[in-house]
Amino acid sequence: MLPPEARLPEIESLIERGQYFVVHAPRQSGKTTLFRALAERLLSETRFTTLLASCETGQTARADLERGVDAILHSLEFSAGSLPASLRPPQPREVDDQPAETRLKVYLSRWCERSPRPVVLFLDEIDALRDDTLVSILRQLRSGYLERPERFPHALALIGLRDVRDYRVDEHERGTLGTASPFNIKVRSLTLRNFSPDEVASLLRQHTEATGQRVTEDAVQEAFEQSRGQPWLVNALAQQVVEVEARDAEVIEVTDFDRAAAVLIERRDTHLDSLIERLREPRVQRVIEPILTGSLLAPDLPIDDLRYVEDLGLIVRSDAGLEIANPIYREIVPRALAQVTQDTLPVHPRAYVAADGTLRFEQMLDAFVEFWLENAELYLARQPYSEAAAQLVFMAYLQRVVNGGGTIEREYAVGSGRVDLLVRWPAGGLVQRFAVELKVWRDRRPDPVDQGLEQLKRYLERLRLDQGTLVIFDARSIAPPLPERLEMLEQMHEDRSIRIVRL
């Protein structure tokens, strides 16, 4: 464990000043852990009556205000069971005579009047609520705000995945509040940052102190690089390493974390699946698709869409622009989008493995070209992200070939104009490496071949390779028929051998 309050140092000041605020962060980032620890500590200091309660039980009520409000009251009662008797809220039945529209407000008011200490309330999973229940809860909290601290909570935090304006008001994600109006008393919206490299090192040092199993400095760095400090990923990687990959080893190495990352990508635990579900939302697609294709964001993209995808933890801002938040997500996103395609591709992976175990990469490329000539329209039409369709199909084909025998490293970012792929294939004690750059020729744009050659050259320099492949998909509305535009040629570009494939 790390001291949770260090990740949100402003919280205690907000509580001391009697403020109402919002904390939002992606799933499994430590929100509940932080507030549970904070509630227990504040309670032990005997200054506040502090309670953390979940609103999740009200999710199924949706527009049924009676059920929704009662679910919140019973959650408060249940969570308060661990409080000293003198600090507990009233029984929910004491406010049964109140209309649902004011029942929570009256309940909290009576609790604050009888509590010998100011009440501090943390409402977790607030954005699990929907429709009338959600709006009514927010308005009741707002309407009691001016009565604090004698007749309403001294300080209050709403905790969830999203900021107030992004709270959902229907089950299909199509509608959100779009405003903080029902809870415009908030003074701040805070989000939990990821672990820093030093914090990841601290966690792993604790493991060493507890077990004696040492972690090399390079392995600590790899744990951070693979996860970029996302708390769930850090712990999932470490758990996989200590329980499986290096269970009996005296020292944990970089390769142990590499294998653990591959397992998480293949296994796609609940946390990862919950992110993948978001990829089909239109507001997420409007941000993720340009990143996948390396194109620019639409000039009319609503800023709320961008903020929403950041809040989900899917993207970060870097020197390269907007990019997927960490290498594990970067691998999972295109795989998830192309999984159905990958499963249905007519590919026989072993056909491209030579007798000595090496990968016959050139033959695989030739086979893809033949497949594309016959099936391009069919497979392009199936892709959920139409602008990234060609890249996704190619990556699915490549993934099908190397699955289980090698790995693919992907690099893409908004505005980069390309997708870079590095295939690693171990064979005979060595690792074969093949670099591929994907580009798309779109309407009103010049032929991307010159730019692609220069970009691929820089990529090869970084990888210290002397040959690579540039694949250009012609997506122009005036493009000739595919058989006529097909071109495959080899050329030298500044002492590097480049195979150019036009499709």
Side-chain angles (χ1 to χ4, degrees):
M1 278 288 293
L2 296 171
E5 297 94 325
R7 297 173 63 206
L8 276 180
E10 309 101 310
I11 283 184
E12 292 206 46
S13 174
L14 292 171
I15 291 171
E16 290 287 347
R17 302 200 315 267
Q19 303 292 350
Y20 284 23
F21 57 97
V22 174
V23 174
H24 58 99
R27 292 187 188 279
Q28 304 292 331
S29 56
K31 301 184 297 295
T32 302
T33 301
L34 185 153
F35 279 96
R36 180 180 292 119
L38 181 59
E40 291 174 356
R41 184 170 63 76
L42 290 176
L43 186 66
S44 70
E45 293 173 355
T46 71
R47 292 184 300 138
F48 298 112
T49 297
T50 312
L51 183 66
L52 169 67
S54 174
C55 299
E56 191 170 16
T57 54
Q59 182 174 16
T60 58
R62 302 194 183 281
D64 188 337
L65 191 53
E66 286 284 340
R67 285 181 55 217
V69 172
D70 281 347
I72 303 303
L73 296 185
H74 286 287
S75 179
L76 288 166
E77 178 193 29
F78 177 81
S79 299
S82 59
L83 294 177
S86 62
L87 302 182
R88 293 175 189 168
Q91 297 288 321
R93 64 174 178 270
E94 294 182 30
V95 291
D96 280 349
D97 59 336
Q98 300 294 319
E101 290 81 1
T102 60
R103 193 173 301 154
L104 175 64
K105 177 183 176 182
V106 172
Y107 180 85
L108 293 177
S109 179
R110 291 183 182 177
W111 180 24
C112 293
E113 287 173 343
R114 70 173 61 174
S115 173
R117 310 177 193 170
V119 171
V120 174
L121 180 60
F122 303 142
L123 291 178
D124 200 5
E125 303 282 357
I126 183 69
D127 49 356
L129 303 178
R130 300 287 189 278
D131 302 329
D132 292 348
T133 298
L134 170 63
V135 175
S136 178
I137 294 297
L138 294 177
R139 286 178 173 163
Q140 290 185 59
L141 294 174
R142 181 181 67 181
S143 66
Y145 175 75
L146 294 178
E147 304 299 322
R148 73 194 199 290
E150 291 81 9
R151 300 184 62 234
F152 218 64
H154 165 77
L156 183 143
L158 300 183
I159 309 158
L161 293 177
R162 317 169 191 217
D163 200 356
V164 174
R165 66 170 58 244
D166 293 317
Y167 290 175
R168 292 169 289 183
V169 291
D170 72 46
E171 61 181 312
H172 301 296
E173 305 270 342
R174 290 190 296 266
T176 64
L177 289 176
T179 174
S181 177
F183 195 69
N184 58 9
I185 51 177
K186 69 167 187 174
V187 295
R188 292 287 301 279
S189 286
L190 309 173
T191 189
L192 280 179
R193 64 169 175 80
N194 285 341
F195 293 154
S196 67
D198 287 344
E199 287 170 329
V200 173
S202 175
L203 282 171
L204 294 173
R205 271 197 307 273
Q206 291 177 38
H207 169 73
T208 298
E209 291 166 0
T211 67
Q213 188 179 41
R214 189 166 62 85
V215 187
T216 68
E217 290 186 11
D218 287 345
V220 172
Q221 180 65 24
E222 184 68 7
F224 176 78
E225 289 299 329
Q226 288 284 359
S227 64
R228 296 296 169 88
Q230 203 286 331
W232 186 89
L233 288 179
V234 171
N235 283 282
L237 283 170
Q239 183 179 22
Q240 179 67 22
V241 165
V242 303
E243 293 183 358
V244 180
E245 309 302 333
R247 183 180 58 186
D248 300 320
E250 292 183 4
V251 179
I252 294 174
E253 307 280 358
V254 168
T255 52
D256 297 317
F257 278 102
D258 288 340
R259 290 195 301 271
V263 169
L264 293 189
I265 290 167
E266 289 293 335
R267 200 168 65 197
R268 268 176 42 184
D269 290 342
T270 302
H271 163 73
L272 301 175
D273 268 344
S274 69
L275 284 178
I276 290 165
E277 289 175 10
R278 307 290 178 197
L279 296 176
R280 303 302 177 97
E281 295 179 29
R283 61 199 310 208
V284 174
Q285 179 173 346
R286 287 193 289 266
V287 176
I288 297 297
E289 191 166 33
I291 295 176
L292 280 172
T293 60
S295 54
L296 297 173
L297 296 174
D300 58 348
L301 177 75
I303 192 65
D304 283 351
D305 288 0
L306 187 58
R307 184 167 53 231
Y308 172 63
V309 181
E310 284 186 281
D311 288 347
L312 288 175
L314 275 169
I315 63 172
V316 293
R317 300 173 188 266
S318 71
D319 293 341
L322 290 175
E323 59 181 4
I324 302 300
N326 56 65
I328 292 176
Y329 290 179
R330 190 164 61 231
E331 178 69 17
I332 284 174
V333 166
R335 280 204 199 192
L337 291 171
Q339 186 64 57
V340 174
T341 295
Q342 182 180 321
D343 292 342
T344 59
L345 285 169
V347 180
H348 303 286
R350 302 310 299 177
Y352 309 111
V353 180
D356 61 358
T358 57
L359 181 64
R360 301 162 61 200
F361 191 76
E362 299 300 324
Q363 288 88 337
M364 187 277 297
L365 275 178
D366 292 340
F368 175 78
V369 170
E370 183 178 341
F371 158 80
W372 193 252
L373 284 169
E374 296 178 4
N375 301 285
E377 290 187 7
L378 174 64
Y379 277 86
L380 287 174
R382 292 178 176 179
Q383 298 311 304
Y385 282 27
S386 59
E387 292 296 305
Q391 296 98 316
L392 288 172
V393 173
F394 183 89
M395 286 189 277
Y397 196 99
L398 194 58
Q399 188 69 54
R400 183 73 179 273
V401 172
V402 305
N403 236 11
T407 60
I408 305 172
E409 295 178 10
R410 310 166 203 251
E411 294 185 15
Y412 48 88
V414 70
S416 66
R418 68 189 187 278
V419 176
D420 290 330
L421 308 172
L422 175 64
V423 177
R424 295 179 181 271
W425 184 270
L430 300 175
V431 177
Q432 293 177 276
R433 296 190 300 158
F434 306 95
V436 182
E437 181 165 300
L438 308 180
K439 293 187 74 68
V440 177
W441 189 358
R442 303 192 186 279
D443 284 332
R444 300 183 297 279
R445 301 294 297 173
D447 187 339
V449 66
D450 291 338
Q451 183 189 47
L453 288 170
E454 187 61 26
Q455 290 171 333
L456 181 54
K457 181 202 77 170
R458 293 197 295 268
Y459 188 45
L460 294 174
E461 286 176 348
R462 184 151 51 88
L463 298 172
R464 297 183 180 178
L465 291 175
D466 57 12
Q467 60 183 1
T469 301
L470 173 62
V471 180
I472 299 175
F473 294 97
D474 194 339
R476 295 174 301 160
S477 57
I478 58 171
L482 184 52
E484 295 178 20
R485 66 178 187 256
L486 171 64
E487 182 180 32
M488 302 175 68
L489 57 92
E490 303 273 352
Q491 75 175 60
M492 297 299 296
H493 182 71
E494 299 188 18
D495 298 326
R496 283 179 166 78
S497 175
I498 307 296
R499 186 181 190 187
I500 301 174
V501 181
R502 290 182 178 271
L503 294 169

